[in-house]
Amino acid sequence: MNQTEKKYKKVVLAYSGGLDTSVIIPWLKDNYGCEVIAVAGDVGQGKELSGLEERALKTGASKLYIEDLTKEFVDEYIIPTMQAGAVYEGKYLLGTSFARPIIAKRLVEIAKKEGADAIAHGCTGKGNDQVRFELAIKAFAPEMGIIAPWRTWELKSREDEIEYAEKHNIEIPLTKETNYSKDKNLWHLSHEGLDLEDPKNEPDYDKILEMGVSPEKAPDKATYVTLTFVKGVPVALDGKELDSVELIKTLNKLGGENGIGIIDMVENRLVGMKSRGVYETPGGAILYHAHGMLEEICLDKETQHYKALVAQKFSEIVYNGQWYTPLREALSAFVESTQKTVTGDVKLKLYKGNIIGAGMTSPYSLYSEEVATFGEDNVYDQMDSQGFINLFGLPIKVKALLDEKRGK
Amino acid sequence: MNQTEKKYKKVVLAYSGGLDTSVIIPWLKDNYGCEVIAVAGDVGQGKELSGLEERALKTGASKLYIEDLTKEFVDEYIIPTMQAGAVYEGKYLLGTSFARPIIAKRLVEIAKKEGADAIAHGCTGKGNDQVRFELAIKAFAPEMGIIAPWRTWELKSREDEIEYAEKHNIEIPLTKETNYSKDKNLWHLSHEGLDLEDPKNEPDYDKILEMGVSPEKAPDKATYVTLTFVKGVPVALDGKELDSVELIKTLNKLGGENGIGIIDMVENRLVGMKSRGVYETPGGAILYHAHGMLEEICLDKETQHYKALVAQKFSEIVYNGQWYTPLREALSAFVESTQKTVTGDVKLKLYKGNIIGAGMTSPYSLYSEEVATFGEDNVYDQMDSQGFINLFGLPIKVKALLDEKRGK
Amino acid sequence: MNQTEKKYKKVVLAYSGGLDTSVIIPWLKDNYGCEVIAVAGDVGQGKELSGLEERALKTGASKLYIEDLTKEFVDEYIIPTMQAGAVYEGKYLLGTSFARPIIAKRLVEIAKKEGADAIAHGCTGKGNDQVRFELAIKAFAPEMGIIAPWRTWELKSREDEIEYAEKHNIEIPLTKETNYSKDKNLWHLSHEGLDLEDPKNEPDYDKILEMGVSPEKAPDKATYVTLTFVKGVPVALDGKELDSVELIKTLNKLGGENGIGIIDMVENRLVGMKSRGVYETPGGAILYHAHGMLEEICLDKETQHYKALVAQKFSEIVYNGQWYTPLREALSAFVESTQKTVTGDVKLKLYKGNIIGAGMTSPYSLYSEEVATFGEDNVYDQMDSQGFINLFGLPIKVKALLDEKRGK
Amino acid sequence: MNQTEKKYKKVVLAYSGGLDTSVIIPWLKDNYGCEVIAVAGDVGQGKELSGLEERALKTGASKLYIEDLTKEFVDEYIIPTMQAGAVYEGKYLLGTSFARPIIAKRLVEIAKKEGADAIAHGCTGKGNDQVRFELAIKAFAPEMGIIAPWRTWELKSREDEIEYAEKHNIEIPLTKETNYSKDKNLWHLSHEGLDLEDPKNEPDYDKILEMGVSPEKAPDKATYVTLTFVKGVPVALDGKELDSVELIKTLNKLGGENGIGIIDMVENRLVGMKSRGVYETPGGAILYHAHGMLEEICLDKETQHYKALVAQKFSEIVYNGQWYTPLREALSAFVESTQKTVTGDVKLKLYKGNIIGAGMTSPYSLYSEEVATFGEDNVYDQMDSQGFINLFGLPIKVKALLDEKRGK
């Protein structure tokens, strides 16, 4: 049965107050004759929330929820993913990917509380976000209706939307428009569209960047920063304990000023196409770097190598919106187990786009000055190498001997 | 049976002309009463080779071979590894790792030609290089004797060596000594030891760097460079066809000047310990970056993701000195198959340590302007997303429905 | 745009002569007013092909192609997959999975030759086969129309089909019906549906099995068989060279008689649901077993272990119908490289469902009697183990020493 | 420094009462002038322990500890490994591998309590067990001395040992000798050596087997057994709750009688060589089979597929004796997380070497009769497949379109 043929009485909408979701409210009411409850999930996008309620009600919503999810976002989504070392396709720090599940979870909670029979979102039919939203909805409310107007309505462009808004007397929100398609939260800001759509174009960073500056515009003098981790969790900056949200905000500022965390990539979307984007993750880039350095001294080789494989899977799972799945949970259990000893201080030098290690220490360091002092007799006898090589190389030697015999 | 109890008549020595190998020649003659043939494998270390023969003979060698392996090194080892995207522990571009096998292979060839019964090398007993040398020797001459003086002799320090040299009237080679332990070839320069031995110390790059400068010392103006690849092989720079060796030399110069390709890491050695090193790979860093970018548009998602896993294994195999093994060959077959369409131009901006993508094109791009013009009907129907999400999310939905039924 | 709204003039149909495809012919003509060309791809399903042409024409097809794909199926699909050791979810030998791509490829070839503008198949909308067919069609004819009546028509059951057939005066093919849903080819026979739909039911093998008997019904006396492989390709049986098709037929007979190759599993379909099936692959089970045994002596450990990981990916790719993709090709390149030394004889004892190794030999065996005779001095010195263990265990020891120091 | 040059005052010996360890006691006293404390770790090997103390003391030990580790062995080592689905090289159920770490851990505990300065074991220098013992010792007592007489002493054969025993007036233990080298515990019995050393020989199972019979000797009538799991732990057999040790004993009996769990393989030892062995794991084979079946219905696809990769790593880690490592712990955390829903009943038919699924049920089944009754509208719409295929196949289609354009 076609989606729009279904009947809904009360719909919860993921609401931002921008053009798209402003138009969706009357469209939902027109098409379903339903009540619309707007929900704005705050994951640190830093937009003006004042006036949002007025706008939502004016546009036809019966109610607006503003939900501050920032702290939960950082502690339950960002940090576990950073601990995993998960980076999608070697570049993307997943800023949008894990923001969708947490918002969707809250949408479901409100929909259940309100007795709504459907949830609507403003994601396009070509992107990943529709998948991430809907997978999370299915996980918590498998029988909940889902409405994705962009996949079904007749409005095919921004112009169509504006016309629709005017026809319905909806005040069009004024936005400082670069016209790039953006997604912002505490962790990152993404840019897509326009000239970026052709990979042959060099991004015009001076026009694009908002969280910081390009390396060229960064100060000529380096900034040093020291991060302290306890069991893989960042807890202090330059020796001062900081709440995780504040810590990321501070790193965003430091990173942004120093031209750090800018990524330009062509990525593979879940829905089968490639897309090009520019990402700003200034604080995130610093955090990943520091954490990775610390793991170099705190994890043993076998754990470090296998964890790197797990990281790739973790990144795919998060990118695909499969946060609320048994596999993500099991991978998190793996990661958490590895973080027991990831404790210590990492000093970094931030300079014009570079994050440069400037020394680190850990009480759990497996590379400790003290190891050297155990002395050769106790820990390392160079003659052991001969035996090691002989056995490690045994398969090669046997193969070569047999090849010789056969006159290979 | 103890190694040194064995009897050898003619020994081929991996010779550099430095202090270690200068001392090893008389030591071998003393201990085995054998003839020593010195072999200097040139993999682009760029040292003075003039006068090397005189020195070798003076120190007691009966002959010196100088073997130019540079071209083979680039085409048969460096480029295939770069195509694999192999980076050890996410950082190290394997500069020393694949230089050892190619030298060892030539050592065996000469040893066989000369009728030698053993091969000697000057690697310490704590490092990876002994393994890499010996594995390669076993692969080509499984019954060849192997002599590793550092594992067995009584000389425990540089001072012991100097004393030994003086006692044997060996002229000690004068070297500009920073006293870091170094390994240099066309691809890279590594630094270990001294203050680097404690990870808490920030490297003093101005003192360390030789192939280039630190980001701070790099020019204030960016340099642009365009690389052309054909089937994963770099063939031209700024539109000018270049031999692969020349191309890397040019990239080394450009990269070095712009503070690029400097890595500081604590790595896990094959022999079970962690060690800290600083690597300079200016040209290599540029080449990997450009190649990786091109793969973003030329490889499909499934290939790209699986290749990233293969890359890690490839890096371990190379790092461990297992170049001449069936697994490395099979992994190379995989990689080669993926490179069929990795053809195109990549423009990069080099600026104070940063490599910044500045546009790319490929006749095989899977992200092509033309795809957009196929039109929606032909290639992408947004309503397809609904079906996709419903099936992709089916396991999540079924699980949630069942959980509900069970009153989870 | 809805599929059925499209206009097609000439449609090529994957035709079996069964009820489904017999009904599809008039349905296509009714709905599209198009000419229908039927194509029967023979992959060894062993059905009567005599009379098929008459039936196709009578039902309304303008032409019938009967294409013998058996030899290509074995050599280009079955054997490379068997060499990979690919087994879906540890059980399924992929019998249906790789039959679809080869048939679809031929459908495209004929469609192009005939100037058809669409290809139709009779797969249901709940299964994997629709995906496999359509992915292969897209690979060779991306703009070709695809018609999947089961996803769109109003016939919801076998009864509906029979009624439709009678209304259109189509002679209903008489089939010996167990009413399990089956797929048969040279490699296997699958059974789904009826009592199998509940995993709590024990399969009634006596009723289900067609290619052989259950272990209980197998002879009390074992059958021995010796297989000869050259570079991973089976070339002889009991010392007699056999064409690959004949070889599999013979193994099917031997395996079937001895109750071998029966699998009962709940598998995860690509389209998101679990399904339960019983598979008969008597010859395939024997071939995989023999080949795997031979690899135990012909492959080195590193290759063997990594190949086992590749095998899983290979199985997923084949199961998902992604045969004609760069990743499948690259994985095949990997596999092919490993098969260079997989040559030798494997003797097996077949007994009431068991395949029991009964000895094997290979000129490339890395476990050769001769290795033992190289003597300890040359190949293995037990004292080497001490060095090996000390270095292999170094990370554990260092960690423990540090833990002790910290008073863990 | 050579091992035997070290001085030890009190040595704890892993003692079995067999020829090897009986000879080692006087040898240790001779060579080190040390006190020897014998420790027999009982992991269910089922040997006579009566009289063992007398024998140990008579041979020169100052004390004998008999440690019953069976329950801990099952619950902390066997079951977690079975839950992981870990099978070394696709065949070996790791019976010896995880028995060594648990014994070594107890040896260390006793050594510490007794103030011993070394631990001795009777493993040969060619096998895996020396590694497994010593890695575990290093993990718990990194500075403890380790003595491995077989790697150092002059006794090269059984005959040498007997001669040594006679010279020292040691009563030689009478053993029923097939002369295969064996290792037995609750979980398995392994056989190596003699005719098995040549892979071309068919094993003479009637001579070899001790825990059960060959398929041919098994009863003509099948045995049915139902296993109940709760969160991956087997808790009942045929509806009767059983302690885990009793459960395995019962399964051993049932499996052995029915010719089940016999493996013949050429495996890759950690120390670089291939070896051939025959393993009996009757109960283990049944347990793995039942657990794997249950996971088919209780785990979702993504978890199931990734867990299969983890299983391989897990098997290598266990095989290599790396039980007490951060990676094993992290892998176990992953596995444990997946077991939350692995609850249910599995019925099996045991028949002449075959384990045949005979139905299963689970309250957490993701393949439940009830799913079907959710109806099409709610859970599965066949038209969704079209969208799914279109997006899943999009990369293939785009590539094909581009290839066409380029006139591929």
Side-chain angles (χ1 to χ4, degrees), chain A residues 363-366 368 370-371 374 378-380 384-388 390-392 394 397-399 401-402 405-406, chain C residues 363-366 368 370-371 374 378-380 384-388 390-392 394 397-399 401-402 405-406:
Chain A
Y364 297 97
S365 175
L366 300 170
S368 134
E370 300 171 69
V371 172
F374 288 138
N378 283 321
V379 183
Y380 197 98
D384 284 342
S385 297
Q386 185 176 311
F388 178 80
N390 285 343
L391 298 209
F392 186 68
L394 190 61
K397 181 169 183 172
V398 167
K399 183 172 193 310
L401 282 166
L402 291 166
K405 261 196 181 302
R406 275 189 303 271
Chain C
Y364 297 97
S365 176
L366 299 170
S368 136
E370 300 172 68
V371 172
F374 288 138
N378 283 321
V379 182
Y380 198 99
D384 285 342
S385 296
Q386 184 176 313
F388 178 81
N390 285 343
L391 297 209
F392 186 68
L394 189 61
K397 181 168 182 174
V398 167
K399 185 174 191 310
L401 281 167
L402 291 166
K405 261 196 180 303
R406 272 189 304 272

Coordinates of all heavy atoms in Angstrom, one line a residue, chain A residues 363-366 368 370-371 374 378-380 384-388 390-392 394 397-399 401-402 405-406, chain C residues 363-366 368 370-371 374 378-380 384-388 390-392 394 397-399 401-402 405-406:
Chain A
P363 N 50.5 5.8 32.9 CA 50.9 4.9 33.9 C 50.8 3.4 33.3 O 51.5 2.5 33.9 CB 49.9 5.1 35.0 CG 48.7 5.8 34.3 CD 49.3 6.6 33.2
Y364 N 50.1 3.2 32.2 CA 50.0 1.9 31.7 C 50.8 1.7 30.4 O 50.7 0.7 29.7 CB 48.5 1.6 31.3 CG 47.6 1.6 32.5 CD1 46.9 2.7 32.9 CD2 47.5 0.4 33.3 CE1 46.0 2.7 34.0 CE2 46.7 0.4 34.4 CZ 45.9 1.6 34.7 OH 45.1 1.5 35.8
S365 N 51.7 2.6 30.2 CA 52.5 2.6 29.0 C 53.3 1.2 28.9 O 53.9 0.8 29.9 CB 53.6 3.7 29.0 OG 54.4 3.5 27.9
L366 N 53.1 0.6 27.8 CA 53.9 -0.7 27.5 C 55.3 -0.3 26.9 O 56.1 -1.2 26.7 CB 53.1 -1.6 26.6 CG 51.7 -2.0 27.2 CD1 50.9 -2.7 26.1 CD2 51.9 -2.9 28.4
S368 N 57.8 1.9 28.4 CA 58.1 2.7 29.6 C 59.6 2.7 29.7 O 60.3 1.8 29.4 CB 57.5 2.0 30.8 OG 58.3 2.0 31.9
E370 N 61.1 2.4 32.2 CA 61.5 1.4 33.2 C 61.8 0.0 32.5 O 62.5 -0.7 33.0 CB 60.4 1.2 34.2 CG 60.2 2.5 35.0 CD 59.0 2.5 35.9 OE1 59.1 1.7 36.9 OE2 58.0 3.2 35.6
V371 N 61.1 -0.2 31.4 CA 61.3 -1.5 30.7 C 62.8 -1.6 30.4 O 63.4 -2.6 30.5 CB 60.5 -1.6 29.4 CG1 60.9 -2.8 28.6 CG2 59.0 -1.7 29.8
F374 N 65.0 -2.9 33.1 CA 64.9 -4.3 33.5 C 66.1 -5.1 33.2 O 66.4 -6.1 33.7 CB 63.6 -5.0 32.9 CG 62.3 -4.6 33.4 CD1 61.3 -4.3 32.6 CD2 62.2 -4.3 34.8 CE1 60.0 -3.9 33.1 CE2 61.0 -3.9 35.3 CZ 59.9 -3.7 34.5
N378 N 66.9 -10.0 32.0 CA 65.6 -10.3 32.4 C 64.5 -10.3 31.3 O 63.6 -11.0 31.3 CB 65.1 -9.2 33.5 CG 65.8 -9.5 34.8 OD1 65.9 -10.7 35.2 ND2 66.2 -8.5 35.5
V379 N 64.7 -9.3 30.4 CA 63.6 -9.2 29.5 C 63.9 -9.5 28.0 O 63.2 -10.1 27.3 CB 63.1 -7.7 29.5 CG1 61.9 -7.5 28.6 CG2 62.7 -7.3 30.9
Y380 N 65.1 -9.2 27.6 CA 65.4 -9.4 26.2 C 66.8 -9.9 26.0 O 67.8 -9.2 26.3 CB 65.2 -8.1 25.4 CG 65.0 -8.3 23.9 CD1 63.8 -8.4 23.3 CD2 66.2 -8.5 23.1 CE1 63.6 -8.6 22.0 CE2 66.0 -8.7 21.7 CZ 64.8 -8.7 21.2 OH 64.6 -9.0 19.8
D384 N 67.8 -14.6 21.5 CA 66.4 -15.1 21.3 C 66.0 -14.8 19.9 O 65.1 -15.6 19.4 CB 65.5 -14.4 22.3 CG 65.6 -15.0 23.7 OD1 66.1 -16.1 23.9 OD2 65.1 -14.3 24.7
S385 N 66.4 -13.7 19.3 CA 66.0 -13.4 18.0 C 66.3 -14.5 17.0 O 65.5 -14.7 16.1 CB 66.7 -12.1 17.5 OG 66.4 -11.0 18.3
Q386 N 67.4 -15.1 17.2 CA 67.8 -16.2 16.2 C 66.8 -17.3 16.2 O 66.3 -17.7 15.2 CB 69.2 -16.7 16.6 CG 69.7 -17.7 15.6 CD 71.1 -18.1 15.9 OE1 72.0 -17.3 16.2 NE2 71.4 -19.4 15.9
G387 N 66.4 -17.7 17.4 CA 65.4 -18.7 17.5 C 64.1 -18.3 16.9 O 63.4 -19.0 16.2
F388 N 63.7 -17.0 17.3 CA 62.5 -16.5 16.8 C 62.4 -16.5 15.3 O 61.5 -16.9 14.6 CB 62.3 -15.0 17.3 CG 61.1 -14.4 16.8 CD1 59.8 -14.6 17.4 CD2 61.1 -13.5 15.7 CE1 58.7 -14.0 16.9 CE2 60.0 -12.9 15.2 CZ 58.7 -13.2 15.8
N390 N 64.2 -18.2 13.2 CA 64.2 -19.5 12.6 C 62.8 -20.2 12.6 O 62.5 -20.8 11.6 CB 65.2 -20.4 13.4 CG 66.7 -20.1 13.0 OD1 66.9 -19.4 12.0 ND2 67.6 -20.5 13.8
L391 N 62.1 -20.0 13.7 CA 60.7 -20.5 13.7 C 59.8 -19.7 12.8 O 59.0 -20.2 12.1 CB 60.2 -20.7 15.1 CG 61.0 -21.6 16.0 CD1 60.1 -22.2 17.0 CD2 61.7 -22.8 15.2
F392 N 59.9 -18.4 13.0 CA 59.0 -17.5 12.2 C 59.2 -17.7 10.7 O 58.3 -17.7 9.9 CB 59.3 -16.1 12.5 CG 58.3 -15.1 11.9 CD1 57.0 -15.0 12.3 CD2 58.8 -14.2 10.9 CE1 56.1 -14.1 11.7 CE2 57.9 -13.3 10.4 CZ 56.6 -13.2 10.7
L394 N 60.4 -20.6 9.4 CA 60.4 -22.0 9.1 C 59.5 -22.3 7.9 O 60.0 -23.0 7.0 CB 60.0 -22.8 10.3 CG 60.2 -24.3 10.2 CD1 61.6 -24.7 10.0 CD2 59.6 -25.0 11.4
K397 N 61.4 -21.4 4.8 CA 62.6 -22.2 4.5 C 62.1 -23.6 4.0 O 62.7 -24.1 3.1 CB 63.4 -22.4 5.8 CG 64.6 -23.2 5.7 CD 65.5 -23.1 6.9 CE 66.8 -23.9 6.7 NZ 67.8 -23.7 7.8
V398 N 61.1 -24.2 4.7 CA 60.7 -25.5 4.2 C 60.2 -25.5 2.8 O 60.5 -26.3 2.0 CB 59.6 -26.0 5.2 CG1 58.9 -27.2 4.6 CG2 60.1 -26.4 6.5
K399 N 59.4 -24.4 2.5 CA 58.9 -24.3 1.1 C 60.1 -24.2 0.1 O 60.1 -24.8 -0.9 CB 58.0 -23.0 1.0 CG 57.4 -22.8 -0.3 CD 56.4 -21.7 -0.3 CE 55.6 -21.7 -1.6 NZ 56.3 -21.7 -2.8
L401 N 63.2 -25.2 0.5 CA 63.9 -26.5 0.4 C 63.1 -27.4 -0.5 O 63.7 -28.1 -1.3 CB 64.0 -27.1 1.8 CG 65.1 -26.5 2.7 CD1 64.9 -27.0 4.1 CD2 66.5 -26.9 2.2
L402 N 61.8 -27.5 -0.4 CA 61.0 -28.4 -1.2 C 61.1 -27.9 -2.6 O 61.1 -28.8 -3.5 CB 59.6 -28.5 -0.6 CG 59.5 -29.1 0.7 CD1 58.1 -28.9 1.3 CD2 59.7 -30.7 0.6
K405 N 64.3 -29.1 -4.1 CA 64.2 -30.5 -4.3 C 63.5 -30.8 -5.6 O 63.9 -31.7 -6.4 CB 63.5 -31.2 -3.2 CG 64.4 -31.8 -2.2 CD 63.7 -32.8 -1.3 CE 64.6 -33.4 -0.3 NZ 65.7 -34.1 -0.8
R406 N 62.4 -30.1 -5.9 CA 61.6 -30.4 -7.1 C 62.3 -29.7 -8.3 O 61.7 -29.8 -9.4 CB 60.2 -29.8 -6.9 CG 59.2 -30.7 -6.2 CD 57.8 -30.1 -6.3 NE 57.8 -28.8 -5.7 CZ 57.5 -28.5 -4.5 NH1 57.3 -29.5 -3.6 NH2 57.5 -27.3 -4.0
Chain C
P363 N 52.9 -33.2 -4.7 CA 54.3 -32.9 -5.0 C 54.6 -31.6 -4.3 O 55.8 -31.3 -4.1 CB 54.3 -32.8 -6.5 CG 52.9 -32.6 -6.9 CD 52.0 -33.3 -5.9
Y364 N 53.7 -30.8 -3.9 CA 53.9 -29.5 -3.3 C 53.7 -29.5 -1.8 O 53.6 -28.5 -1.2 CB 53.1 -28.4 -3.9 CG 53.3 -28.2 -5.4 CD1 52.6 -28.8 -6.4 CD2 54.4 -27.4 -5.8 CE1 52.8 -28.6 -7.7 CE2 54.7 -27.1 -7.1 CZ 53.9 -27.8 -8.1 OH 54.2 -27.6 -9.4
S365 N 53.5 -30.7 -1.3 CA 53.2 -30.8 0.2 C 54.3 -30.1 1.0 O 55.4 -30.3 0.8 CB 53.1 -32.3 0.6 OG 52.9 -32.3 2.0
L366 N 53.8 -29.2 1.9 CA 54.7 -28.6 2.8 C 54.8 -29.4 4.1 O 55.6 -29.1 5.0 CB 54.2 -27.2 3.2 CG 54.0 -26.2 2.0 CD1 53.2 -25.0 2.4 CD2 55.4 -25.9 1.4
S368 N 56.0 -33.0 4.2 CA 56.5 -34.0 3.3 C 57.4 -34.9 4.2 O 58.1 -34.5 5.1 CB 57.3 -33.5 2.2 OG 58.5 -34.1 2.0
E370 N 60.0 -36.0 3.4 CA 61.3 -35.6 3.2 C 61.8 -34.5 4.2 O 62.9 -34.4 4.5 CB 61.5 -35.1 1.8 CG 61.2 -36.3 0.8 CD 61.2 -35.8 -0.6 OE1 62.3 -35.4 -1.1 OE2 60.1 -35.8 -1.2
V371 N 60.8 -33.7 4.6 CA 61.2 -32.6 5.5 C 61.8 -33.2 6.8 O 62.8 -32.7 7.3 CB 59.9 -31.8 5.9 CG1 60.3 -30.8 7.1 CG2 59.4 -31.0 4.7
F374 N 65.5 -33.9 6.5 CA 66.5 -32.8 6.4 C 67.3 -32.8 7.6 O 68.4 -32.2 7.7 CB 65.8 -31.4 6.2 CG 65.1 -31.2 4.9 CD1 63.9 -30.7 4.8 CD2 65.8 -31.6 3.7 CE1 63.3 -30.5 3.5 CE2 65.2 -31.5 2.5 CZ 64.0 -30.9 2.4
N378 N 69.6 -28.8 10.1 CA 69.3 -28.0 9.0 C 68.0 -27.2 9.2 O 67.9 -26.1 8.8 CB 69.2 -28.8 7.7 CG 70.6 -29.2 7.2 OD1 71.5 -28.4 7.3 ND2 70.7 -30.4 6.8
V379 N 67.0 -27.9 9.7 CA 65.7 -27.2 9.7 C 65.2 -26.8 11.0 O 64.6 -25.7 11.1 CB 64.7 -28.1 8.9 CG1 63.4 -27.4 8.8 CG2 65.2 -28.5 7.6
Y380 N 65.4 -27.6 12.0 CA 64.7 -27.2 13.3 C 65.6 -27.6 14.4 O 66.0 -28.7 14.7 CB 63.4 -28.0 13.4 CG 62.5 -27.4 14.4 CD1 61.4 -26.6 14.0 CD2 62.6 -27.7 15.8 CE1 60.6 -26.0 15.0 CE2 61.8 -27.1 16.7 CZ 60.8 -26.3 16.3 OH 59.9 -25.8 17.3
D384 N 65.7 -23.2 19.3 CA 65.1 -22.0 18.7 C 63.8 -21.7 19.4 O 63.4 -20.5 19.4 CB 64.9 -22.3 17.2 CG 66.2 -22.2 16.4 OD1 67.2 -21.7 16.9 OD2 66.2 -22.7 15.3
S385 N 63.1 -22.7 19.9 CA 61.8 -22.5 20.5 C 61.9 -21.5 21.6 O 61.0 -20.7 21.9 CB 61.2 -23.8 21.0 OG 61.0 -24.6 19.9
Q386 N 63.0 -21.6 22.4 CA 63.1 -20.8 23.5 C 63.2 -19.3 23.1 O 62.5 -18.5 23.7 CB 64.4 -21.2 24.3 CG 64.6 -20.4 25.6 CD 65.8 -20.9 26.3 OE1 66.0 -22.1 26.5 NE2 66.6 -19.9 26.8
G387 N 63.9 -19.0 22.1 CA 64.0 -17.6 21.6 C 62.7 -17.2 21.1 O 62.2 -16.1 21.3
F388 N 62.1 -18.1 20.3 CA 60.8 -17.8 19.7 C 59.8 -17.4 20.8 O 59.1 -16.4 20.8 CB 60.2 -19.0 18.9 CG 58.9 -18.8 18.4 CD1 58.7 -18.0 17.2 CD2 57.7 -19.2 19.0 CE1 57.5 -17.8 16.6 CE2 56.5 -19.0 18.5 CZ 56.3 -18.3 17.3
N390 N 60.3 -16.5 23.9 CA 60.6 -15.3 24.6 C 60.2 -14.0 23.9 O 59.7 -13.1 24.5 CB 62.1 -15.3 24.9 CG 62.5 -16.2 26.0 OD1 61.6 -16.7 26.8 ND2 63.7 -16.6 26.1
L391 N 60.4 -14.0 22.5 CA 60.0 -12.8 21.8 C 58.5 -12.8 21.6 O 57.8 -11.8 21.8 CB 60.7 -12.8 20.5 CG 62.2 -12.6 20.5 CD1 62.7 -11.9 19.3 CD2 62.7 -11.9 21.8
F392 N 57.9 -14.0 21.3 CA 56.4 -14.1 21.1 C 55.7 -13.7 22.4 O 54.7 -13.0 22.3 CB 56.0 -15.5 20.7 CG 54.6 -15.7 20.3 CD1 54.1 -15.1 19.1 CD2 53.7 -16.4 21.1 CE1 52.8 -15.2 18.8 CE2 52.4 -16.6 20.8 CZ 51.9 -16.0 19.6
L394 N 57.0 -11.7 24.7 CA 57.6 -10.5 25.2 C 56.5 -9.4 25.6 O 56.5 -8.9 26.8 CB 58.6 -9.8 24.3 CG 59.4 -8.7 24.8 CD1 60.2 -9.1 26.0 CD2 60.3 -8.1 23.7
K397 N 55.0 -10.5 28.9 CA 55.9 -10.4 30.0 C 56.1 -8.9 30.4 O 56.0 -8.6 31.6 CB 57.3 -11.0 29.6 CG 58.3 -10.9 30.7 CD 59.5 -11.8 30.4 CE 60.5 -11.7 31.6 NZ 61.6 -12.7 31.3
V398 N 56.2 -8.1 29.4 CA 56.4 -6.7 29.8 C 55.2 -6.1 30.5 O 55.3 -5.4 31.5 CB 56.7 -5.9 28.5 CG1 56.6 -4.4 28.7 CG2 58.1 -6.2 27.9
K399 N 54.0 -6.5 29.9 CA 52.8 -6.0 30.6 C 52.7 -6.5 32.0 O 52.4 -5.7 32.9 CB 51.6 -6.5 29.8 CG 50.3 -6.0 30.3 CD 49.1 -6.5 29.4 CE 47.8 -5.8 29.7 NZ 47.5 -5.8 31.2
L401 N 55.2 -7.4 34.0 CA 56.2 -6.7 34.8 C 55.7 -5.3 35.2 O 55.9 -4.9 36.4 CB 57.5 -6.6 34.0 CG 58.4 -7.8 34.0 CD1 59.5 -7.7 32.9 CD2 59.0 -8.1 35.3
L402 N 55.1 -4.6 34.2 CA 54.6 -3.3 34.5 C 53.5 -3.3 35.5 O 53.3 -2.5 36.4 CB 54.2 -2.6 33.2 CG 55.4 -2.3 32.3 CD1 54.9 -1.9 30.9 CD2 56.2 -1.1 32.9
K405 N 54.8 -3.8 38.9 CA 55.4 -2.5 39.4 C 54.3 -1.6 39.9 O 54.5 -0.9 40.9 CB 56.1 -1.8 38.3 CG 57.6 -2.0 38.3 CD 58.3 -1.0 37.4 CE 59.8 -1.2 37.4 NZ 60.4 -1.2 38.7
R406 N 53.2 -1.6 39.2 CA 52.1 -0.7 39.6 C 51.3 -1.3 40.8 O 50.4 -0.7 41.2 CB 51.2 -0.5 38.5 CG 51.6 0.7 37.5 CD 50.5 1.0 36.6 NE 50.1 -0.2 35.8 CZ 50.7 -0.5 34.7 NH1 51.6 0.2 34.1 NH2 50.3 -1.6 34.0

